[in-house]
Amino acid sequence: VGRLLGGVVLPVYFASFLLTDVGRPHHVEKLLPFFKKETRDDVVYLAEQFVDIIVAFFRGQLIVAFLQGLLFAIGFSIVGLKYGFVIGLVLGFLNIIPYLGNIVGLGTALPLALFQEGGGWVRVALVLVVFAVVQMVEGYLLTPKIMGDRTGLHPMVVIVAIFFWGPALSGIMGLILAIPLTAFLVVFWRLARDKYIREVV
């Protein structure tokens, strides 16, 4: 049920973040009158950074999905999959939601490769090779590079974050939140290091 709800809710959040006009959340200061001004400024700063990171993440995710879909489309067309270009683009777009594109795309592409005219197990194997290659390009090149540039994280940190938060948060939500959570923790650490740890030392 949790995974189903995540798959339904995520596109709504995705669309809203793409359309969000990132601005200074002044209302946060009004909600924290019991903090002194310096503490409120820190909270507002962290809130701003978190919103910026989330918006950058979803916009970056759209770019990754488009490029991944384009690679799938080109690869499927090269190996002779019928309707391969369209299937590849749809597979990439659906991968905005982790696992959805893979399940729907392979569930469509593999039977088609097997039963289409001139198809067979060789074409099925070629489709799987294209899938594996594109997944590697996405996982080790596109996502680390694009997300790293947009969130300010080193590509290697992005890779480690995905492998860490996925199991830590039990699957799909960990994959969705891995990069935003890591980027926010980095921002929090920088603020603590520059302002509070230095004062203590």
Side-chain angles (χ1 to χ4, degrees), residues 22-91:
V22 181
R24 182 175 174 83
H26 293 284
H27 61 281
V28 175
E29 298 178 352
K30 297 179 181 178
L31 295 175
L32 303 172
F34 44 85
F35 287 144
K36 59 182 181 180
K37 183 179 184 306
E38 186 176 355
T39 304
R40 285 201 306 270
D41 289 342
D42 290 341
V43 172
V44 170
Y45 169 77
L46 291 174
E48 287 177 342
Q49 293 298 310
F50 183 71
V51 172
D52 288 344
I53 290 167
I54 291 293
V55 172
F57 167 75
F58 279 102
R59 289 175 179 171
Q61 190 74 0
L62 181 62
I63 296 173
V64 170
F66 171 75
L67 293 176
Q68 189 180 16
L70 191 59
L71 290 175
F72 276 126
I74 294 172
F76 289 159
S77 299
I78 290 175
V79 300
L81 180 67
K82 193 174 182 180
Y83 311 118
F85 196 86
V86 174
I87 292 173
L89 289 179
V90 172
L91 196 161

Side-chain angles (χ1 to χ4, degrees), residues 10 17 58 60 71-73 95 102 124 134 149 165 167 172 180 195:
L10 181 60
F17 279 124
F58 279 102
L71 290 175
F72 276 126
N95 268 336
N102 296 342
V124 170
V134 174
D149 289 345
W165 287 110
I172 187 170
K195 189 167 184 180

Side-chain angles (χ1 to χ4, degrees), residues 65-147:
F66 171 75
L67 293 176
Q68 189 180 16
L70 191 59
L71 290 175
F72 276 126
I74 294 172
F76 289 159
S77 299
I78 290 175
V79 300
L81 180 67
K82 193 174 182 180
Y83 311 118
F85 196 86
V86 174
I87 292 173
L89 289 179
V90 172
L91 196 161
F93 177 75
L94 291 178
N95 268 336
I96 292 173
I97 303 173
Y99 303 125
L100 180 61
N102 296 342
I103 294 172
V104 174
L106 288 178
T108 304
L110 294 181
L112 184 59
L114 182 61
F115 297 112
Q116 74 177 49
E117 184 178 352
W121 292 109
V122 173
R123 202 172 301 279
V124 170
L126 292 174
V127 168
L128 288 174
V129 168
V130 170
F131 177 80
V133 170
V134 174
Q135 287 294 99
M136 290 179 63
V137 171
E138 182 270 331
Y140 293 99
L141 181 62
L142 293 181
T143 294
K145 176 61 178 173
I146 294 173
M147 290 302 187

